[in-house]
Amino acid sequence: MPITPATATHSSSDGTADAILLELVDENGVTIGTEEKLAAHQPPGLLHRAFSVFLFDERGRLLLQRRALDKYHSPGVWSNTCCGHPYPGEAPFAAAARRTFEELGVSPSLLAEAGTVRYNHPDPASGLVEQEYNHLFVGLVQSPPRPNAGEVGDTAFVTPAELAERHASDTFSSWFMTVLDAARPAVRELTGPSAGW
């Protein structure tokens, strides 16, 4: 499957490039239209469909990624395992599995829905706005990540204590704690009480 970075375009059958479109939604997550990706993130931001993935290893550690330095939005910051946007008409579950493989070179051995969360997070560094209706997924990963350098600068598996230490000293995406907190019930169910999430 082709890699689809944030600012990529797709070639249509007539050889012209099509911009990446996001699915615009209302406050209930109902599709109301589409918009070009960068335009949807310009202030004040247009509410659009997104997804966030949290993968854990057999020890209950969360796989984090540091976003590549050349990303146009939130470059070089730590974030959850994978996040992105479904193409218009693409199921969020399918998009989550697709982008996890494209960015990290792994396919989850288990991937389950973990609810949705709606948020509005400006990114001070870029001036862009994350106005998202986000579908959450939790799962397990059993093979080592093979990150795509154009998307991912680094990866790390962390325990809750290690995450707290890293979060206090490193820069994380503006949406990270919002999506993690929303996914926590499903994370606890997946990893069990001994993991400490």
Side-chain angles (χ1 to χ4, degrees), residues 5 7 17 20 42 44 49 58 71 102 123 125 128 149 158-159 179 187 190:
T7 55
I20 290 182
Q42 298 293 333
R49 194 176 309 284
E58 70 284 349
K71 299 281 274 186
E102 289 176 354
D123 174 37
L128 300 176
V158 295
T159 65
V179 293
V187 168
L190 175 73

Side-chain angles (χ1 to χ4, degrees), residues 25-92:
V25 298
D26 66 15
E27 293 291 338
N28 298 310
V30 176
T31 302
I32 58 171
T34 59
E35 181 57 82
E36 188 276 325
K37 187 172 188 173
L38 189 56
H41 289 88
Q42 298 293 333
L46 298 173
L47 183 60
H48 58 274
R49 194 176 309 284
F51 64 83
S52 289
V53 178
F54 297 86
L55 295 183
F56 296 83
D57 67 7
E58 70 284 349
R59 294 166 51 191
R61 298 180 304 168
L62 171 61
L63 175 58
L64 298 177
Q65 70 155 279
R66 187 193 299 262
R67 294 165 62 85
L69 290 174
D70 58 357
K71 299 281 274 186
Y72 79 101
H73 185 2
S74 301
V77 302
W78 287 96
S79 199
N80 49 294
T81 307
C82 180
C83 54
H85 309 92
Y87 295 129
E90 181 182 27

Side-chain angles (χ1 to χ4, degrees), residues 169-183:
S169 61
D170 287 331
T171 305
F172 276 71
S173 64
S174 60
W175 62 87
F176 175 75
M177 287 308 298
T178 300
V179 293
L180 176 58
D181 287 344

